[in-house]
Coordinates of all heavy atoms in Angstrom, one line a residue:
M12 N 50.4 115.3 8.3 CA 50.5 114.5 7.1 C 49.9 113.1 7.4 O 49.9 112.6 8.5 CB 52.0 114.3 6.8 CG 52.2 113.4 5.6 SD 54.0 113.3 5.1 CE 54.1 114.8 4.2
A13 N 49.2 112.7 6.4 CA 48.5 111.4 6.4 C 49.5 110.3 6.4 O 50.5 110.3 5.8 CB 47.5 111.3 5.3
E14 N 49.0 109.1 7.1 CA 49.8 107.9 7.0 C 48.9 106.9 6.4 O 47.6 106.9 6.7 CB 50.2 107.5 8.4 CG 51.2 108.4 9.0 CD 51.7 108.0 10.4 OE1 50.7 108.0 11.3 OE2 52.8 107.6 10.6
I15 N 49.5 106.0 5.7 CA 48.8 104.9 5.1 C 49.4 103.6 5.6 O 50.6 103.4 5.4 CB 48.8 105.0 3.6 CG1 48.1 106.3 3.1 CG2 48.1 103.8 2.9 CD1 48.2 106.6 1.6
L16 N 48.5 102.6 5.9 CA 48.9 101.3 6.2 C 48.3 100.3 5.2 O 47.1 100.3 5.0 CB 48.5 100.9 7.6 CG 48.7 99.4 8.0 CD1 50.2 99.1 8.1 CD2 48.0 99.1 9.3
G17 N 49.2 99.5 4.6 CA 48.6 98.6 3.6 C 48.7 97.2 4.2 O 49.7 96.9 4.9
A18 N 47.7 96.4 4.1 CA 47.6 95.1 4.7 C 46.9 94.2 3.7 O 45.9 94.6 3.1 CB 47.0 95.0 6.1
G19 N 47.2 92.9 3.7 CA 46.6 91.9 2.7 C 46.4 90.6 3.4 O 47.3 90.3 4.2
V20 N 45.4 89.9 3.1 CA 45.1 88.6 3.6 C 44.4 87.8 2.5 O 43.9 88.4 1.6 CB 44.3 88.6 4.8 CG1 45.0 89.2 6.0 CG2 42.9 89.2 4.6
T21 N 44.5 86.5 2.7 CA 43.9 85.7 1.7 C 42.3 85.7 1.9 O 41.9 86.0 3.0 CB 44.3 84.2 1.8 OG1 43.6 83.5 0.8 CG2 44.1 83.6 3.0
H22 N 41.5 85.4 0.9 CA 40.1 85.3 1.1 C 39.7 83.7 1.0 O 38.6 83.3 0.8 CB 39.3 86.0 0.1 CG 39.3 85.4 -1.3 ND1 40.4 85.4 -2.0 CD2 38.3 84.8 -2.0 CE1 40.1 84.8 -3.2 NE2 38.8 84.4 -3.2
Y23 N 40.7 82.8 1.1 CA 40.6 81.4 1.0 C 39.3 80.9 1.2 O 38.8 80.6 2.4 CB 41.7 80.7 1.9 CG 41.9 79.3 1.7 CD1 42.4 78.9 0.5 CD2 41.5 78.4 2.7 CE1 42.7 77.5 0.3 CE2 41.8 77.0 2.5 CZ 42.3 76.6 1.3 OH 42.5 75.3 1.2
P24 N 38.5 80.6 0.1 CA 37.0 80.1 0.3 C 36.9 78.8 1.1 O 35.9 78.7 1.8 CB 36.6 80.0 -1.1 CG 37.5 80.9 -1.9 CD 38.8 80.9 -1.2
P25 N 37.8 77.8 0.9 CA 37.5 76.6 1.7 C 37.5 76.8 3.3 O 37.2 75.9 4.0 CB 38.6 75.7 1.3 CG 38.9 76.1 -0.1 CD 38.8 77.6 0.0
M26 N 37.9 77.9 3.7 CA 37.8 78.2 5.2 C 36.3 78.3 5.7 O 36.0 78.1 6.8 CB 38.4 79.6 5.6 CG 39.9 79.6 5.6 SD 40.7 78.8 6.9 CE 40.3 80.0 8.2
L27 N 35.4 78.3 4.7 CA 34.0 78.4 5.0 C 33.5 77.0 5.4 O 32.3 76.9 6.0 CB 33.2 78.9 3.9 CG 33.5 80.3 3.4 CD1 32.7 80.7 2.1 CD2 33.1 81.3 4.5
V28 N 34.2 75.9 5.1 CA 33.7 74.6 5.5 C 34.5 74.0 6.5 O 35.6 74.5 6.9 CB 33.8 73.7 4.2 CG1 32.8 74.2 3.0 CG2 35.2 73.4 3.7
S29 N 34.0 72.9 7.2 CA 34.8 72.2 8.2 C 36.1 71.6 7.7 O 36.3 71.4 6.5 CB 33.9 71.1 8.9 OG 33.8 70.0 8.0
D30 N 37.0 71.4 8.6 CA 38.2 70.7 8.2 C 38.0 69.4 7.6 O 38.7 69.0 6.7 CB 39.2 70.6 9.4 CG 39.6 72.0 10.0 OD1 39.6 73.0 9.2 OD2 40.0 72.1 11.2
E31 N 37.0 68.7 8.0 CA 36.7 67.4 7.5 C 36.3 67.4 6.1 O 36.4 66.5 5.3 CB 35.6 66.7 8.4 CG 36.1 66.3 9.7 CD 36.2 67.4 10.7 OE1 35.6 68.5 10.5 OE2 36.9 67.2 11.7
E32 N 35.8 68.6 5.6 CA 35.3 68.8 4.3 C 36.3 69.4 3.3 O 36.1 69.6 2.2 CB 34.0 69.6 4.2 CG 32.8 68.9 5.0 CD 31.6 69.9 5.2 OE1 31.8 70.9 5.8 OE2 30.6 69.5 4.6
R33 N 37.4 69.8 3.9 CA 38.4 70.7 3.1 C 39.1 70.0 2.0 O 39.8 70.5 1.2 CB 39.3 71.4 4.1 CG 38.6 72.4 4.9 CD 39.0 73.8 4.9 NE 40.4 74.2 4.6 CZ 41.3 74.4 5.4 NH1 41.0 74.4 6.8 NH2 42.5 74.9 5.0
A34 N 39.0 68.6 2.1 CA 39.7 67.8 1.0 C 38.9 67.7 -0.2 O 39.3 67.1 -1.2 CB 40.1 66.4 1.6
F35 N 37.7 68.3 -0.2 CA 36.8 68.1 -1.3 C 37.5 68.5 -2.7 O 37.2 67.8 -3.7 CB 35.5 68.8 -1.2 CG 35.5 70.3 -1.3 CD1 35.3 70.9 -2.5 CD2 35.7 71.0 -0.1 CE1 35.4 72.3 -2.6 CE2 35.7 72.4 -0.2 CZ 35.5 73.0 -1.4
P36 N 38.3 69.5 -2.8 CA 38.8 69.9 -4.1 C 39.7 68.7 -4.7 O 39.6 68.4 -5.9 CB 39.6 71.1 -3.9 CG 39.1 71.7 -2.7 CD 38.6 70.6 -1.8
I37 N 40.6 68.2 -3.9 CA 41.5 67.1 -4.4 C 40.7 65.9 -4.6 O 41.0 65.2 -5.6 CB 42.7 66.9 -3.4 CG1 43.7 65.9 -4.1 CG2 42.3 66.4 -2.1 CD1 44.5 66.4 -5.2
N38 N 39.8 65.6 -3.7 CA 39.0 64.3 -3.9 C 38.2 64.4 -5.2 O 38.0 63.4 -6.0 CB 38.2 64.0 -2.7 CG 39.0 63.6 -1.5 OD1 40.1 63.1 -1.7 ND2 38.5 63.9 -0.3
I39 N 37.5 65.5 -5.5 CA 36.7 65.7 -6.7 C 37.7 65.6 -7.9 O 37.3 65.0 -8.9 CB 35.9 67.0 -6.6 CG1 34.8 66.9 -5.6 CG2 35.4 67.4 -8.0 CD1 34.1 68.2 -5.4
T40 N 38.8 66.3 -7.8 CA 39.7 66.2 -9.0 C 40.2 64.8 -9.2 O 40.2 64.3 -10.4 CB 41.0 67.1 -8.6 OG1 40.5 68.4 -8.5 CG2 42.0 67.1 -9.8
L41 N 40.5 64.0 -8.2 CA 40.9 62.7 -8.4 C 39.8 61.8 -9.0 O 40.1 60.9 -9.8 CB 41.4 62.1 -7.0 CG 42.7 62.7 -6.5 CD1 43.0 62.1 -5.1 CD2 43.9 62.5 -7.4
A42 N 38.6 62.0 -8.5 CA 37.5 61.2 -9.0 C 37.0 61.6 -10.3 O 36.5 60.6 -11.1 CB 36.3 61.3 -7.9
R43 N 37.0 62.8 -10.7 CA 36.3 63.2 -11.9 C 37.2 63.9 -13.0 O 36.7 63.9 -14.2 CB 35.3 64.3 -11.5 CG 34.3 63.8 -10.5 CD 33.2 64.8 -10.3 NE 32.4 64.3 -9.2 CZ 31.4 65.2 -8.6 NH1 31.4 66.5 -9.0 NH2 30.7 64.7 -7.6
D44 N 38.4 64.3 -12.7 CA 39.2 65.0 -13.7 C 39.9 64.1 -14.6 O 40.8 63.5 -14.2 CB 40.1 66.0 -13.0 CG 40.6 67.1 -14.0 OD1 40.8 66.8 -15.2 OD2 41.0 68.2 -13.5
E45 N 39.5 64.0 -15.9 CA 40.1 63.1 -16.8 C 41.6 63.5 -17.2 O 42.3 62.8 -17.8 CB 39.2 63.0 -18.0 CG 37.9 62.5 -17.7 CD 37.0 62.5 -19.0 OE1 37.4 63.0 -20.1 OE2 35.8 62.0 -18.8
R46 N 41.9 64.8 -16.9 CA 43.2 65.3 -17.2 C 44.3 64.7 -16.2 O 45.5 64.8 -16.5 CB 43.3 66.8 -17.1 CG 42.4 67.5 -18.2 CD 42.3 68.9 -18.0 NE 41.6 69.2 -16.7 CZ 41.5 70.4 -16.2 NH1 41.9 71.5 -16.8 NH2 40.9 70.6 -15.0
V47 N 43.9 64.2 -15.1 CA 44.9 63.6 -14.2 C 45.1 62.2 -14.6 O 44.3 61.4 -14.7 CB 44.2 63.6 -12.7 CG1 45.2 62.9 -11.8 CG2 43.9 65.0 -12.3
P48 N 46.4 61.9 -14.9 CA 46.8 60.6 -15.4 C 46.4 59.5 -14.3 O 46.5 59.8 -13.1 CB 48.3 60.7 -15.5 CG 48.6 62.1 -15.6 CD 47.6 62.8 -14.8
E49 N 45.9 58.4 -14.8 CA 45.5 57.4 -13.8 C 46.5 57.0 -12.7 O 46.1 56.9 -11.5 CB 45.1 56.1 -14.6 CG 44.2 55.2 -13.9 CD 42.8 55.8 -13.5 OE1 42.3 56.6 -14.3 OE2 42.4 55.5 -12.4
H50 N 47.7 56.9 -13.0 CA 48.7 56.6 -12.1 C 48.9 57.6 -11.0 O 49.2 57.3 -9.8 CB 50.1 56.3 -12.7 CG 50.9 57.5 -13.1 ND1 50.6 58.1 -14.4 CD2 51.8 58.1 -12.5 CE1 51.4 59.1 -14.5 NE2 52.1 59.1 -13.4
M51 N 48.5 58.9 -11.3 CA 48.6 60.0 -10.3 C 47.4 60.0 -9.4 O 47.4 60.8 -8.4 CB 48.8 61.3 -11.0 CG 50.2 61.5 -11.7 SD 51.6 61.0 -10.6 CE 51.5 62.4 -9.4
K52 N 46.4 59.3 -9.7 CA 45.2 59.2 -8.8 C 45.5 58.3 -7.6 O 44.7 58.3 -6.6 CB 44.0 58.8 -9.5 CG 43.6 59.7 -10.6 CD 42.4 59.3 -11.3 CE 41.9 60.3 -12.3 NZ 40.6 60.1 -13.0
N53 N 46.6 57.6 -7.6 CA 47.0 56.8 -6.5 C 48.0 57.6 -5.6 O 49.1 57.9 -6.1 CB 47.7 55.5 -7.0 CG 48.2 54.6 -5.9 OD1 48.2 55.0 -4.7 ND2 48.4 53.4 -6.3
P54 N 47.7 57.9 -4.3 CA 48.6 58.7 -3.5 C 50.0 58.1 -3.4 O 50.9 58.9 -3.1 CB 47.9 58.6 -2.1 CG 46.4 58.5 -2.4 CD 46.4 57.6 -3.7
A55 N 50.1 56.8 -3.5 CA 51.5 56.3 -3.5 C 52.4 56.8 -4.5 O 53.6 56.7 -4.4 CB 51.4 54.7 -3.6
N56 N 51.9 57.4 -5.6 CA 52.6 58.0 -6.7 C 52.9 59.5 -6.5 O 53.4 60.1 -7.4 CB 52.0 57.6 -8.1 CG 52.0 56.2 -8.3 OD1 52.9 55.5 -8.0 ND2 50.9 55.7 -8.8
W57 N 52.4 60.0 -5.5 CA 52.5 61.5 -5.3 C 53.8 61.9 -4.8 O 54.5 61.0 -4.1 CB 51.4 62.0 -4.4 CG 50.1 61.8 -4.8 CD1 49.6 61.5 -6.1 CD2 48.8 62.1 -4.0 NE1 48.2 61.4 -6.1 CE2 47.7 61.8 -4.9 CE3 48.6 62.4 -2.8 CZ2 46.4 61.9 -4.5 CZ3 47.3 62.6 -2.3 CH2 46.2 62.3 -3.2
P58 N 54.3 63.1 -4.9 CA 55.5 63.6 -4.2 C 55.3 63.4 -2.7 O 54.2 63.5 -2.2 CB 55.5 65.1 -4.6 CG 54.7 65.2 -5.8 CD 53.6 64.2 -5.7
E59 N 56.4 63.2 -2.0 CA 56.4 62.9 -0.6 C 55.6 64.0 0.2 O 54.8 63.7 1.1 CB 57.8 62.8 0.0 CG 57.8 62.5 1.4 CD 59.2 62.4 2.1 OE1 60.2 62.5 1.3 OE2 59.3 62.1 3.2
A60 N 55.9 65.3 -0.1 CA 55.2 66.3 0.7 C 53.7 66.3 0.6 O 52.9 66.5 1.5 CB 55.7 67.8 0.2
M61 N 53.2 66.0 -0.7 CA 51.8 65.8 -0.9 C 51.2 64.6 -0.1 O 50.1 64.7 0.4 CB 51.5 65.8 -2.4 CG 50.1 65.8 -2.7 SD 50.0 66.0 -4.5 CE 48.1 65.9 -4.7
R62 N 52.0 63.5 -0.1 CA 51.5 62.3 0.6 C 51.4 62.6 2.1 O 50.4 62.2 2.7 CB 52.4 61.2 0.4 CG 52.4 60.6 -1.1 CD 53.1 59.2 -1.1 NE 54.3 59.1 -0.5 CZ 55.5 59.4 -1.2 NH1 55.4 59.8 -2.4 NH2 56.7 59.3 -0.5
V63 N 52.4 63.3 2.6 CA 52.5 63.6 4.1 C 51.2 64.5 4.4 O 50.6 64.3 5.4 CB 53.8 64.3 4.5 CG1 53.7 64.9 5.8 CG2 54.9 63.3 4.3
E64 N 51.0 65.5 3.6 CA 49.9 66.4 3.8 C 48.5 65.7 3.8 O 47.6 65.9 4.5 CB 49.9 67.6 2.9 CG 48.9 68.7 3.1 CD 49.0 69.9 2.3 OE1 50.2 70.3 2.0 OE2 48.0 70.5 2.0
Y65 N 48.3 64.9 2.8 CA 47.1 64.1 2.6 C 46.9 63.1 3.7 O 45.8 62.9 4.2 CB 47.1 63.5 1.2 CG 45.8 62.9 0.7 CD1 44.7 63.8 0.4 CD2 45.5 61.6 0.5 CE1 43.6 63.4 -0.1 CE2 44.3 61.2 0.1 CZ 43.3 62.1 -0.2 OH 42.1 61.6 -0.7
G66 N 48.1 62.5 4.1 CA 48.1 61.6 5.3 C 47.1 60.4 5.2 O 46.8 60.0 4.0
E67 N 46.8 59.9 6.3 CA 45.9 58.7 6.3 C 44.4 59.2 6.5 O 43.5 58.4 6.5 CB 46.3 57.8 7.4 CG 47.7 57.2 7.4 CD 47.8 56.3 6.2 OE1 46.8 55.6 5.9 OE2 48.9 56.3 5.5
D68 N 44.2 60.6 6.6 CA 42.9 61.0 6.9 C 42.4 62.0 5.8 O 41.5 62.8 6.1 CB 42.9 61.8 8.2 CG 43.9 63.0 8.2 OD1 44.5 63.2 7.3 OD2 43.9 63.7 9.3
E69 N 43.0 61.9 4.6 CA 42.6 62.7 3.4 C 42.8 64.1 3.7 O 42.0 65.0 3.2 CB 41.1 62.3 3.0 CG 41.0 60.9 2.5 CD 39.6 60.7 1.9 OE1 38.7 61.5 2.1 OE2 39.5 59.6 1.3
G70 N 43.8 64.4 4.4 CA 44.1 65.8 4.7 C 43.4 66.6 5.8 O 43.7 67.8 6.0
V71 N 42.6 65.9 6.6 CA 41.9 66.6 7.7 C 42.8 67.2 8.7 O 42.7 68.4 9.1 CB 40.9 65.6 8.4 CG1 40.3 66.2 9.6 CG2 39.8 65.2 7.4
A72 N 43.9 66.5 9.1 CA 44.8 67.0 10.1 C 45.5 68.2 9.6 O 45.8 69.2 10.2 CB 45.8 66.0 10.6
S73 N 45.9 68.1 8.2 CA 46.7 69.2 7.6 C 45.7 70.4 7.5 O 46.1 71.6 7.6 CB 47.2 68.8 6.2 OG 48.3 67.9 6.4
A74 N 44.4 70.2 7.2 CA 43.5 71.3 7.1 C 43.3 72.0 8.4 O 43.3 73.2 8.4 CB 42.1 70.7 6.6
A75 N 43.3 71.2 9.5 CA 43.2 71.9 10.8 C 44.5 72.7 11.1 O 44.4 73.9 11.5 CB 43.0 70.8 11.8
Q76 N 45.6 72.3 10.7 CA 46.9 73.0 10.9 C 46.9 74.3 10.0 O 47.3 75.4 10.4 CB 48.0 72.1 10.6 CG 48.3 71.0 11.6 CD 49.3 70.0 11.2 OE1 49.9 70.1 10.1 NE2 49.5 68.9 11.9
H77 N 46.4 74.1 8.8 CA 46.3 75.2 7.9 C 45.3 76.3 8.4 O 45.7 77.5 8.4 CB 45.8 74.7 6.5 CG 45.8 75.8 5.5 ND1 44.7 76.1 4.8 CD2 46.7 76.6 5.0 CE1 44.9 77.1 3.9 NE2 46.2 77.4 4.0
R78 N 44.2 75.9 8.9 CA 43.3 76.8 9.5 C 43.9 77.6 10.7 O 43.8 78.8 10.8 CB 41.9 76.1 10.0 CG 41.0 77.0 10.5 CD 39.7 76.3 11.1 NE 39.1 75.5 10.1 CZ 38.2 76.0 9.2 NH1 37.8 77.2 9.3 NH2 37.6 75.1 8.3
E79 N 44.6 76.8 11.4 CA 45.2 77.4 12.6 C 46.3 78.5 12.2 O 46.3 79.6 12.8 CB 45.9 76.4 13.5 CG 46.6 76.9 14.8 CD 47.2 75.7 15.6 OE1 46.6 74.6 15.6 OE2 48.2 76.0 16.2
R80 N 47.0 78.2 11.2 CA 48.0 79.2 10.7 C 47.3 80.4 10.1 O 47.8 81.5 10.3 CB 49.0 78.5 9.7 CG 50.0 77.5 10.2 CD 51.0 77.2 9.2 NE 50.5 76.8 7.9 CZ 50.2 75.5 7.5 NH1 50.3 74.5 8.4 NH2 49.7 75.3 6.3
L81 N 46.2 80.2 9.3 CA 45.6 81.3 8.8 C 45.0 82.2 9.9 O 45.1 83.4 9.8 CB 44.5 80.8 7.8 CG 44.9 80.3 6.5 CD1 43.8 79.8 5.7 CD2 45.7 81.4 5.6
V82 N 44.2 81.6 10.8 CA 43.6 82.4 11.8 C 44.6 83.2 12.6 O 44.4 84.3 12.9 CB 42.7 81.5 12.7 CG1 42.2 82.3 14.0 CG2 41.6 81.0 11.9
K83 N 45.7 82.5 13.0 CA 46.8 83.2 13.7 C 47.3 84.4 12.9 O 47.5 85.5 13.4 CB 48.0 82.3 14.0 CG 49.0 82.9 14.7 CD 50.2 81.8 15.0 CE 51.4 82.5 15.7 NZ 52.5 81.5 16.0
S84 N 47.4 84.2 11.6 CA 47.9 85.4 10.8 C 46.9 86.4 10.6 O 47.3 87.6 10.6 CB 48.4 84.8 9.4 OG 49.4 83.9 9.5
F85 N 45.6 86.1 10.5 CA 44.5 87.1 10.5 C 44.5 87.9 11.7 O 44.4 89.2 11.7 CB 43.2 86.4 10.4 CG 42.9 85.7 9.1 CD1 42.0 84.6 9.0 CD2 43.5 86.0 7.9 CE1 41.7 84.0 7.8 CE2 43.3 85.4 6.7 CZ 42.4 84.4 6.7
R86 N 44.8 87.3 12.9 CA 44.8 88.1 14.1 C 46.0 89.0 14.2 O 45.9 90.1 14.6 CB 44.9 87.1 15.3 CG 43.5 86.4 15.5 CD 43.4 85.6 16.7 NE 42.1 85.1 16.9 CZ 41.8 83.7 17.1 NH1 42.9 82.9 17.1 NH2 40.6 83.3 17.1
V87 N 47.1 88.6 13.6 CA 48.4 89.5 13.6 C 48.0 90.7 12.7 O 48.3 91.9 13.1 CB 49.5 88.8 13.0 CG1 50.7 89.7 12.7 CG2 50.1 87.7 14.0
V88 N 47.4 90.5 11.6 CA 47.0 91.6 10.6 C 46.0 92.5 11.4 O 46.1 93.7 11.4 CB 46.6 91.1 9.3 CG1 46.0 92.3 8.5 CG2 47.7 90.4 8.6
S89 N 45.0 92.0 12.0 CA 44.0 92.7 12.8 C 44.6 93.5 13.9 O 44.3 94.7 14.0 CB 42.9 91.7 13.4 OG 42.1 92.4 14.1
D90 N 45.5 92.9 14.6 CA 46.2 93.7 15.7 C 47.0 94.8 15.1 O 47.0 95.9 15.7 CB 47.2 92.7 16.4 CG 46.4 91.7 17.3 OD1 45.2 91.8 17.4 OD2 47.1 90.8 17.7
E91 N 47.7 94.6 13.9 CA 48.4 95.7 13.4 C 47.5 96.8 12.9 O 47.8 98.1 13.1 CB 49.2 95.3 12.2 CG 50.3 94.3 12.5 CD 51.4 95.0 13.4 OE1 51.7 96.3 13.1 OE2 52.0 94.4 14.2
I92 N 46.4 96.5 12.4 CA 45.4 97.5 11.9 C 44.9 98.3 13.1 O 44.9 99.5 13.1 CB 44.3 96.9 11.1 CG1 44.8 96.4 9.7 CG2 43.2 97.9 10.9 CD1 43.8 95.5 9.0
Q93 N 44.5 97.6 14.2 CA 44.0 98.2 15.4 C 45.2 99.1 16.0 O 44.8 100.2 16.5 CB 43.6 97.2 16.3 CG 42.2 96.5 16.0 CD 41.8 95.5 16.9 OE1 42.0 95.6 18.1 NE2 41.1 94.5 16.4
A94 N 46.4 98.6 16.0 CA 47.5 99.5 16.6 C 47.7 100.7 15.8 O 48.1 101.8 16.3 CB 48.7 98.6 16.7
F95 N 47.5 100.7 14.5 CA 47.6 101.8 13.6 C 46.6 102.9 13.9 O 46.7 104.1 13.6 CB 47.6 101.4 12.2 CG 47.9 102.4 11.2 CD1 49.2 102.8 11.0 CD2 46.8 103.0 10.4 CE1 49.4 103.8 10.0 CE2 47.1 104.0 9.5 CZ 48.4 104.4 9.3
E96 N 45.4 102.5 14.5 CA 44.3 103.3 14.8 C 43.8 104.2 13.6 O 43.8 105.5 13.7 CB 44.6 104.3 16.0 CG 45.0 103.6 17.3 CD 45.3 104.5 18.4 OE1 45.7 105.7 18.2 OE2 45.2 104.0 19.5
P97 N 43.4 103.6 12.6 CA 43.0 104.2 11.3 C 41.7 105.1 11.5 O 40.8 104.7 12.4 CB 42.7 103.1 10.3 CG 42.4 102.0 11.1 CD 43.2 102.1 12.4
D98 N 41.6 106.2 10.8 CA 40.3 106.9 10.9 C 39.3 106.3 10.0 O 38.2 106.4 10.2 CB 40.6 108.3 10.3 CG 41.5 109.2 11.3 OD1 41.3 109.0 12.5 OD2 42.3 110.0 10.8
F99 N 39.7 105.6 9.0 CA 38.8 104.7 8.1 C 39.6 103.6 7.5 O 40.9 103.6 7.4 CB 38.1 105.6 7.1 CG 38.9 106.2 6.1 CD1 39.2 105.5 4.9 CD2 39.6 107.4 6.3 CE1 39.9 106.1 3.9 CE2 40.4 108.0 5.2 CZ 40.6 107.3 4.1
V100 N 38.9 102.6 6.9 CA 39.6 101.5 6.3 C 38.9 101.3 5.0 O 37.6 101.3 4.9 CB 39.3 100.2 7.2 CG1 39.9 98.9 6.4 CG2 40.0 100.3 8.6
V101 N 39.7 101.1 4.0 CA 39.2 100.8 2.6 C 39.5 99.4 2.3 O 40.6 98.9 2.5 CB 39.8 101.7 1.6 CG1 39.4 101.2 0.2 CG2 39.6 103.2 1.9
I102 N 38.5 98.6 2.0 CA 38.7 97.1 1.7 C 38.5 96.9 0.2 O 37.4 97.2 -0.3 CB 37.7 96.3 2.5 CG1 38.0 96.5 4.0 CG2 37.9 94.8 2.2 CD1 37.0 95.8 4.9
F103 N 39.4 96.3 -0.5 CA 39.3 95.8 -1.9 C 39.1 94.4 -1.9 O 39.9 93.6 -1.2 CB 40.5 96.2 -2.6 CG 40.8 97.7 -2.9 CD1 41.5 98.4 -1.9 CD2 40.1 98.3 -3.9 CE1 41.6 99.8 -2.2 CE2 40.3 99.7 -4.1 CZ 41.1 100.4 -3.2
W104 N 38.2 93.8 -2.6 CA 38.0 92.4 -2.7 C 38.2 92.1 -4.1 O 37.6 92.7 -5.1 CB 36.6 92.1 -2.3 CG 36.2 90.6 -2.4 CD1 36.3 89.8 -3.5 CD2 35.7 89.8 -1.3 NE1 36.0 88.6 -3.2 CE2 35.6 88.5 -1.9 CE3 35.4 90.0 0.0 CZ2 35.1 87.5 -1.2 CZ3 34.8 89.0 0.7 CH2 34.7 87.7 0.1
R105 N 39.1 91.1 -4.4 CA 39.3 90.8 -5.8 C 39.3 89.2 -5.9 O 39.7 88.5 -5.0 CB 40.7 91.2 -6.1 CG 41.1 90.9 -7.6 CD 42.3 91.8 -8.0 NE 43.0 91.1 -9.0 CZ 42.7 91.1 -10.3 NH1 41.5 91.6 -10.7 NH2 43.4 90.5 -11.2

């Protein structure tokens, strides 16, 4: 009888850039998006968790930690697939 293993991971596009460049979405939004109220463009007015993540380095340290968590998780999924010893792998990209 056949066995099927299902696994899923993010395709998080910002992983393609350096950690120093990963704050570009929020920085572009703050600089250009007219839908963001003016008072919310000041980090002092953000929720605490967001201020902590953005930090004093515009999120570079948080980006590095995020990358580390993602890569660690990718390795776990990879190890599980290898342990399963599949005859073939089907990949869906959405």
Side-chain angles (χ1 to χ4, degrees):
M12 178 175 278
E14 293 180 292
I15 297 174
L16 172 69
V20 297
T21 182
H22 75 287
Y23 189 66
M26 287 281 289
L27 297 172
V28 300
S29 71
D30 294 334
E31 291 75 21
E32 298 172 298
R33 294 237 332 261
F35 72 88
I37 187 71
N38 291 333
I39 289 173
T40 299
L41 293 174
R43 300 182 188 169
D44 195 329
E45 296 173 1
R46 297 172 296 177
V47 178
E49 199 59 41
H50 75 280
M51 291 308 291
K52 293 182 179 188
N53 180 348
N56 296 321
W57 297 352
E59 181 180 0
M61 189 171 174
R62 288 193 315 270
V63 168
E64 186 171 327
Y65 197 67
E67 298 296 321
D68 62 358
E69 296 185 347
V71 174
S73 292
Q76 293 168 359
H77 183 241
R78 180 183 302 276
E79 185 178 320
R80 288 192 311 271
L81 284 174
V82 170
K83 182 179 178 183
S84 297
F85 293 156
R86 289 189 176 125
V87 169
V88 173
S89 176
D90 291 347
E91 290 295 324
I92 292 170
Q93 290 178 30
F95 187 74
E96 298 181 341
D98 293 324
F99 66 94
V100 175
V101 178
I102 299 174
F103 291 93
W104 180 305
R105 180 165 155 78

